[in-house]
Amino acid sequence: MERGLRRFEGKTAVVTGGATGVGFATARRLAEEGASVVIAGRRSDVGREAEETLKKAGLAAVFVQADVADEAQVRFLMDEAVRAFGRIDVLVNNAAAFTPGRFMETSWQDWRKVFDVILNGAYFCTKEAARRMIEQGGGGRIVNVSSINSTRALEESSHYNAAKGALDQLTRNTSLELIDHGIRVNSVALGFIDTPMSIVDGVKEHETDWFRDIYVARKKIPLQRTGQPEEAAGAIAFLASEDASYMCGAVVAVDGGLSITF
């Protein structure tokens, strides 16, 4: 991060799934740039730890336990954000869920869980945050965390890919309607990022032979490496800032160049 950059001074940001991985890196980045940050998540242990980590660094942060798939809990989350810091200026819809499974073997419960968190969670959070932004007089920034999988097919990921594709469309449609209130909505489409979600069935996919062969040695990823959560956070912070003032409804790939290869 550029030394002294304070693009979010006096602003409040809500980051869902903000206790680990990309979510925590984003919460920390926004806080380092002056924002008061509300970390939202289902697990109180890791949430409290994330809050304390930021506070020990002298940053303004609070953890609110909430399940984004539950509309009442989302309403509580946004009320707590306003109660803690007085307003909401930035929302980052980062919460996600994924359990690998082939389409014909995926249960309705597993399918619905992924959609409830990724798509319905973004719907609830966007609606509740936007309502408060409008009540404040308009203005605000919403960044959805999507995936390059939203436009691709991958075995054992039909529910995840479909949910992310729907999230991209939600980004476009809400950007069109909310811009009337000065609220800009954009999205990042992430590729391989080194987070806990990269561990599938106990195996870290980035450390497998197939990943090293296809994505690194053969340059399927032109940068020949995985991304770090802080790199994703940098793109998210950009979209949430005034540096992205002429961007509306964009889905920006942050994937080391993976989406340009075939």
Side-chain angles (χ1 to χ4, degrees):
M1 185 185 74
E2 181 181 334
R3 189 179 298 275
L5 197 61
R6 304 285 289 184
R7 294 179 293 186
F8 303 101
E9 197 77 57
K11 298 185 182 299
T12 299
V14 177
V15 182
T16 69
T20 61
V22 170
F24 180 68
T26 299
R28 182 170 55 194
R29 175 64 180 264
L30 297 176
E32 287 173 345
E33 290 200 40
S36 298
V37 176
V38 178
I39 297 168
R42 289 180 294 180
R43 292 179 52 192
S44 62
D45 53 347
V46 294
R48 298 297 177 194
E49 182 180 352
E51 175 187 331
E52 288 305 311
T53 298
L54 295 185
K55 285 183 174 179
K56 286 178 181 178
L59 304 173
V62 64
F63 169 71
V64 177
Q65 187 172 14
D67 182 352
V68 299
D70 186 308
E71 186 174 14
Q73 291 188 45
V74 169
R75 192 174 298 116
F76 170 78
L77 164 64
M78 300 304 170
D79 285 343
E80 287 297 292
V82 173
R83 187 174 295 114
F85 299 119
R87 58 187 294 114
I88 299 174
D89 302 284
V90 175
L91 168 66
V92 180
N93 284 313
N94 171 71
F98 175 72
T99 301
R102 298 186 68 82
F103 176 75
M104 293 300 292
E105 299 163 5
T106 300
S107 68
W108 166 240
Q109 289 75 20
D110 286 342
W111 181 275
R112 181 171 177 175
K113 178 182 178 181
V114 170
F115 268 79
D116 277 348
V117 175
I118 293 174
L119 183 61
N120 297 342
Y123 162 74
F124 292 141
C125 289
T126 297
K127 203 166 194 178
E128 291 297 326
R131 180 176 291 119
R132 287 155 180 80
M133 292 172 180
I134 293 168
E135 290 171 353
Q136 293 162 188
R141 307 293 177 255
I142 298 173
V143 182
N144 295 324
V145 179
S146 186
S147 168
I148 61 170
N149 282 19
S150 66
T151 60
R152 286 161 174 76
L154 185 68
E155 289 187 344
E156 300 188 353
S157 300
S158 58
H159 45 2
Y160 180 83
N161 291 16
K164 289 295 189 179
L167 181 62
D168 286 353
Q169 195 61 15
L170 183 68
T171 296
R172 298 181 186 103
N173 280 275
T174 53
S175 69
L176 182 62
E177 296 190 26
L178 293 178
I179 198 61
D180 291 342
H181 302 284
I183 301 170
R184 284 192 293 103
V185 186
N186 291 289
S187 174
V188 291
L190 303 182
F192 287 103
I193 307 294
D194 189 7
T195 73
M197 281 196 73
S198 65
I199 301 174
V200 180
D201 292 334
V203 177
K204 195 168 187 177
E205 59 184 357
H206 304 166
E207 297 177 356
T208 59
D209 289 339
W210 66 264
F211 183 87
R212 292 192 183 102
D213 178 39
I214 296 172
Y215 291 97
V216 178
R218 302 187 190 187
K219 295 182 68 175
K220 177 70 173 175
I221 299 176
L223 289 186
Q224 295 181 278
R225 63 176 178 84
T226 58
Q228 294 303 305
E230 293 75 16
E231 293 176 303
I236 293 167
F238 165 72
L239 290 176
S241 76
E242 285 307 303
D243 288 335
S245 59
Y246 199 55
M247 297 182 70
C248 179
V251 180
V252 181
V254 181
D255 63 357
L258 176 57
S259 56
I260 68 171
T261 63
F262 61 92

